[in-house]
Amino acid sequence: MTVRVRLAPSPTGTLHLGTARTALFNWLFAKKEGGSFLLRIEDTDIERSKEEYIKNIYDGLQWLGINWDEPPTIQSERVNEHKQIINTLIDKGFAYKCYASEAELDEMRETQKRNGLAPKYDNRHRNLTPEQESEFIKIGREPVIRFKISDQKLISWNDLIRGKMTWSGKDLGGDMVIARRAPANSIGDPLYNLVVVADDSAMKISHVIRGEDHLANTAKQILLYEALGLNIPVFAHTPLILNSEGKKLSKRDGVTSISEFKRMGYTSEAMANYMTLLGWSIPEGINERFKISEISEIFSFKKVNKASAKFDWDKLNWLNSQVIHEMSAETLLENLDPLFQENGWHLPSQEWGINLAGLIGPSMVLINDGVDQAKPFFEEPELIDDGKKQLEIKEASVILKFILQKLESLDASVFSKQIAIDLINQATKKCEVKKGLVMKSLRAALFGTLHGPDLIQSWVLLSRFSKDRTRISRFI
Ligand code: GLU
């Protein structure tokens, strides 16, 4: 079988983590099977669909390295085909016009509730006579179109993740609406289950891989495939992603869209790596840190759990720090430079930037951490508690005075690690103090605090602007 899978996002919001994870599982499966991964934009909800969301979805997928193999299908462009299929279903007796008004349907549901029954359409207009229909039309009723679902029908499929699944027709809510209300001589807007079947079939989709929240839809869609005499694809329903409290991950959890993770400073590589692990148990002996391009060979739905996956920030952070630590200083600088520019910080030279990236990279977890860590190299830092205390020690100003005098007799452009080490040693000797005291006082004067990366390297970078001199001179 030629494997053709698809992601079918509705552009009514930005690319959600759950959708991106579904995309990834589809993509990995397509890669493994040598098949195609396609994209279909389900934009039939005209009011809520937005161009900017379509762009956000494309950008997010591309950023993650998930590329599609054919131009995307735009669902709204196929509305005529969808209506044709609805006509076929009506002609063959699988669908009919239902004239029940919203008020009547509300009343029906209320009665069901009062009698302790689950609300469900009671198929009341399934067998209207032509006379009854013309009566409704005469009084101006506009029908929806419903697809017949027999209560007796059992629907089964072999789910690649969940095994054998069976649904009973009686649990599907009665005859299903497949087109919105519209004048009786026309077909209203076709609805989700109908259009998905029409499009998946037209796109020759072999496997439908999507979230487990679509299980009931799958049962309904199988009935449509059968009625239309179409090939039924294989289904795989992926587990939901839960927050740390075990609830479905939602907007309330703060970050849920891929573009937000990107903005926070997560790398595409760590995100793709982490999302693959959300629900998939990695085979033993394989490192959890991987590139998605390397993992498709061993990806399998057999190892995707039925149970929901809990979102684990610690693991994502760990993976992100791994990715950053593996980056060359050049690559890290490429990631940091746009953020530096946003802050109005300009690199004195490429080499200087690479050295800075190499210096701060090992302690970064998020790309954005680099901004905080680079800030004291571009902007004069505030003197904070530990730095302040250090500079109150009486020897501190003597040490700094000595170092400043030495610096003033030096050309800033020749300052080097060796000169920095020599100056520290000379100050230690001359001021008759411990070397630690010299280093701490110097760090406090240069960076305002006692914490930070390697002092010698930091000093050399700072000297490039002669900023070391101006900063030290504040404390003598
Ligand atoms: N547009 C649907 C969604 O975003 C697609 C579901 C499917 O994959 O069939 O949930």
Side-chain angles (χ1 to χ4, degrees):
M1 183 191 332
T2 317
V3 166
R4 286 171 68 82
V5 295
R6 80 334 184 242
L7 180 77
S10 310
T12 52
T14 49
L15 180 64
H16 185 274
L17 179 79
T19 312
R21 201 269 311 255
T22 301
L24 198 52
F25 281 8
N26 271 284
W27 183 88
L28 286 166
F29 181 68
K31 291 285 153 256
K32 177 170 185 189
E33 301 294 329
S36 305
F37 169 72
L38 314 180
L39 199 54
R40 181 171 71 237
I41 300 296
E42 303 214 315
D43 60 342
T44 46
D45 184 346
I46 304 286
E47 313 231 298
R48 292 172 59 222
S49 296
K50 292 207 171 103
E51 257 325 298
E52 67 187 85
Y53 294 141
I54 299 182
K55 184 174 181 315
N56 180 279
I57 292 167
Y58 290 166
D59 288 350
L61 292 173
Q62 272 165 345
W63 181 68
L64 290 166
I66 305 175
N67 296 311
W68 45 99
D69 297 310
E70 291 173 13
T73 298
I74 308 297
Q75 192 160 63
S76 60
E77 291 173 1
R78 291 183 26 85
V79 65
N80 291 337
E81 281 86 342
H82 302 147
K83 290 191 175 178
Q84 235 162 34
I85 291 177
I86 294 174
N87 272 324
T88 307
L89 287 170
I90 296 175
D91 291 347
K92 292 194 169 164
F94 290 112
Y96 62 91
K97 292 180 179 160
C98 164
Y99 295 84
S101 68
E102 289 311 318
E104 286 167 354
L105 293 173
D106 283 346
E107 197 190 313
M108 171 195 76
R109 284 187 283 259
E110 279 309 313
T111 314
Q112 287 165 338
K113 263 198 235 160
R114 266 200 308 277
N115 295 330
L117 299 168
K120 170 179 177 175
Y121 176 62
D122 59 6
N123 304 344
R124 58 179 62 184
H125 284 188
R126 200 192 259 191
N127 297 307
L128 291 181
T129 62
E131 292 74 28
Q132 286 171 315
E133 264 204 82
S134 21
E135 266 314 301
F136 282 123
I137 297 171
K138 225 193 272 166
I139 61 168
R141 288 273 178 103
E142 293 194 342
V144 296
I145 295 168
R146 289 188 184 266
F147 173 74
K148 294 179 187 168
I149 297 183
S150 158
D151 275 358
Q152 281 71 45
K153 178 83 183 171
L154 279 186
I155 307 128
S156 293
W157 73 91
N158 280 319
D159 196 288
L160 284 186
I161 295 170
R162 315 175 82 79
K164 179 149 182 184
M165 299 294 299
T166 304
W167 279 72
S168 167
K170 71 176 172 14
D171 296 331
L172 294 175
D175 292 346
M176 152 173 76
V177 181
I178 53 173
R180 284 211 175 88
R181 224 172 263 291
N185 60 358
S186 63
I187 303 279
D189 294 337
L191 290 176
Y192 168 71
N193 281 305
L194 186 282
V195 293
V196 164
V197 168
D199 291 352
D200 281 341
S201 170
M203 290 164 75
K204 298 194 166 39
I205 297 303
S206 62
H207 295 71
V208 171
I209 303 156
R210 60 185 169 201
E212 66 169 298
D213 44 335
H214 286 287
L215 280 169
N217 287 330
T218 295
K220 293 174 185 171
Q221 290 171 22
I222 288 175
L223 293 176
L224 284 165
Y225 280 107
E226 285 177 356
L228 292 163
L230 299 171
N231 284 335
I232 302 176
V234 178
F235 291 95
H237 291 89
T238 56
L240 293 181
I241 304 171
L242 305 180
N243 65 17
S244 52
E245 287 153 24
K247 303 218 177 83
K248 192 176 164 184
L249 198 73
S250 73
K251 274 261 164 246
R252 278 184 295 277
D253 294 298
V255 211
T256 48
S257 70
I258 294 302
S259 43
E260 288 171 62
F261 281 101
K262 181 180 177 191
R263 216 174 12 251
M264 283 172 75
Y266 288 98
T267 59
S268 56
E269 210 174 308
M271 281 308 292
N273 187 160
Y274 180 63
M275 285 193 295
T276 312
L277 294 171
L278 268 176
W280 178 58
S281 308
I282 192 162
E284 248 174 69
I286 308 282
N287 201 319
E288 284 195 321
R289 163 79 194 103
F290 51 75
K291 288 189 169 60
I292 53 167
S293 53
E294 299 161 353
I295 212 77
S296 61
E297 279 302 306
I298 58 164
F299 179 79
S300 146
F301 285 117
K302 287 202 185 77
K303 288 271 183 188
V304 174
N305 309 321
K306 286 185 213 138
S308 306
K310 245 190 197 165
F311 193 85
D312 178 351
W313 284 98
D314 289 340
K315 185 173 268 182
L316 173 60
N317 285 339
W318 175 76
L319 283 168
N320 208 60
S321 65
Q322 295 298 105
V323 171
I324 291 178
H325 301 168
E326 287 161 21
M327 274 181 195
S328 66
E330 285 84 347
T331 309
L332 181 56
L333 181 63
E334 277 167 28
N335 282 274
L336 287 171
D337 201 30
L339 301 178
F340 291 171
Q341 308 238 5
E342 273 173 32
N343 283 286
W345 300 339
H346 301 292
L347 300 175
S349 73
Q350 186 70 4
E351 194 196 347
W352 186 93
I354 291 170
N355 288 336
L356 175 66
L359 181 66
I360 62 179
S363 53
M364 284 167 58
V365 173
L366 301 175
I367 292 291
N368 294 20
D369 292 343
V371 174
D372 293 335
Q373 299 190 19
K375 190 173 180 188
F377 291 90
F378 293 101
E379 293 178 12
E380 191 160 300
E382 258 180 69
L383 189 60
I384 61 170
D385 282 354
D386 59 352
K388 203 181 216 168
K389 268 201 198 108
Q390 181 65 32
L391 295 177
E392 281 162 5
I393 297 174
K394 66 175 183 339
E395 291 90 345
S397 66
V398 182
I399 294 168
L400 293 174
K401 199 177 225 164
F402 173 80
I403 292 177
L404 186 61
Q405 266 171 7
K406 292 279 176 190
L407 283 175
E408 275 165 352
S409 62
L410 264 176
D411 181 349
S413 66
V414 300
F415 195 73
S416 66
K417 268 193 200 174
Q418 196 49 54
I419 295 177
I421 294 169
D422 289 347
L423 283 184
I424 290 171
N425 287 337
Q426 286 173 31
T428 306
K429 224 166 159 189
K430 186 86 187 168
C431 306
E432 295 175 336
V433 290
K434 291 214 168 101
K435 192 163 165 183
L437 186 63
V438 176
M439 307 255 303
K440 280 184 180 169
S441 306
L442 197 51
R443 194 191 278 281
L446 295 176
F447 296 100
T449 170
L450 297 185
H451 302 282
D454 181 80
L455 176 65
I456 307 288
Q457 289 182 58
S458 304
W459 187 8
V460 173
L461 285 174
L462 202 64
S463 70
R464 172 64 200 250
F465 304 101
S466 290
K467 279 187 179 164
D468 50 345
R469 301 168 190 212
T470 41
R471 289 190 191 176
I472 292 172
S473 63
R474 296 181 303 169
F475 302 106
I476 53 174

